[in-house]
Amino acid sequence: MAKNKSSSAAYRRLRTNIEYNSKYPNVHSICLTSANKGSGTTTIACNLATTFVANHSKVLLIDCNINKPTINKYFSIDSALGLSDILLNQDYSNYYKYCTNFKDEHSNNLLYVMGTGRKVKNALDLLSSGYFKEFMEAMKDQFDFILIDCPSLEDSNDVIPVGHIVDGTILVVSLPETEKNNAKKALQQLNRNGVNVIGTVLNKVE
């Protein structure tokens, strides 16, 4: 999970831009997506989460790539239990049992990482359900900040219902891999579906 000094500074700037954005104040939950797969969204979500936990006592990172787990590899955790299980069982009372905790090395702040859980055929239906909204509202009461790593728009539309529940959505654009027209179409798709895009991140820049 170590970051070099230049990347650490970049993530701190990104955190500050989210926390002190005058156009979108009081943002305490975000999801991240991209126009195409391979843009590095998961890496940004994980690094940004570890940056947020330096300033917030309790942060939650959720892997929403339900059928293609990604965060588990970054944190070396088991994704067998997680988000889909909570939604299928409709019981978030023991949400912490579906998380792995990491303590910030400079404080007692905790990062809770929730894996995807079991694979399902109806991921979009689960995320569009009223129970997912209820679950997220409960988590907002439990955590100071929430980040959700979503699949790319190339892979699925799972980010659409998630984007309606969080305070803001960030679109990740990979400089070498995302064509300008695809990035524009992705932004238009999000806006057309009522998703509150609070900014974009240009990734893989030398």
Side-chain angles (χ1 to χ4, degrees):
M1 291 192 297
K3 304 186 287 288
N4 61 42
K5 290 183 178 179
S6 60
S7 64
S8 295
Y11 284 112
R12 285 195 298 270
R13 287 195 297 270
L14 179 55
R15 180 193 65 198
T16 300
N17 286 337
I18 294 170
E19 291 177 323
Y20 297 97
N21 191 323
S22 60
K23 187 176 181 180
Y24 303 104
N26 302 317
V27 171
H28 296 288
S29 61
I30 62 171
C31 67
L32 297 93
T33 187
S34 58
N36 55 286
K37 54 189 176 183
S39 296
T41 307
T42 296
T43 299
I44 291 176
C46 293
N47 281 297
L48 190 57
T50 59
T51 305
F52 265 102
V53 81
N55 280 5
H56 300 271
S57 61
K58 203 174 176 184
V59 175
L60 174 62
L61 173 63
I62 301 175
D63 190 346
C64 206
N65 294 274
I66 291 179
N67 290 320
K68 293 181 180 179
T70 52
I71 285 178
N72 61 312
K73 297 176 182 177
Y74 186 92
F75 287 97
S76 299
I77 64 172
D78 186 2
S79 63
L81 290 176
L83 178 62
S84 65
D85 301 291
I86 289 177
L87 299 182
L88 287 168
N89 298 333
Q90 294 199 358
D91 181 15
Y92 56 75
S93 58
N94 295 320
Y95 69 87
Y96 49 87
K97 292 184 178 180
Y98 297 89
C99 299
T100 303
N101 300 342
F102 297 91
K103 184 177 289 187
D104 179 61
E105 58 184 2
H106 300 299
S107 68
N108 290 321
N109 298 344
L110 289 173
L111 171 63
Y112 287 67
V113 180
M114 180 179 291
T116 57
R118 75 187 85 166
K119 292 184 178 181
V120 296
K121 294 182 179 179
N122 59 334
L124 185 59
D125 291 342
L126 284 179
L127 297 173
S128 301
S129 68
Y131 191 78
F132 177 65
K133 182 177 181 180
E134 180 181 334
F135 161 72
M136 283 299 300
E137 292 302 321
M139 293 304 98
K140 288 177 182 179
D141 290 335
Q142 294 291 325
F143 292 91
D144 301 309
F145 205 92
I146 300 173
L147 303 94
I148 304 179
D149 180 31
C150 290
S152 70
L153 287 162
E154 179 183 16
D155 286 327
S156 74
N157 286 323
D158 289 359
V159 67
I160 303 299
V162 178
H164 276 264
I165 293 173
V166 296
D167 297 327
T169 297
I170 292 177
L171 179 67
V172 177
V173 176
S174 170
L175 183 61
E177 296 164 327
T178 307
E179 294 183 2
K180 183 177 179 179
N181 285 339
N182 287 343
K184 185 177 180 180
K185 288 178 181 178
L187 186 59
Q188 290 173 339
Q189 181 179 351
L190 293 171
N191 289 331
R192 186 169 61 248
N193 283 280
V195 174
N196 180 32
V197 180
I198 62 173
T200 60
V201 173
L202 186 60
N203 195 26
K204 300 186 181 181
V205 180
E206 294 295 333

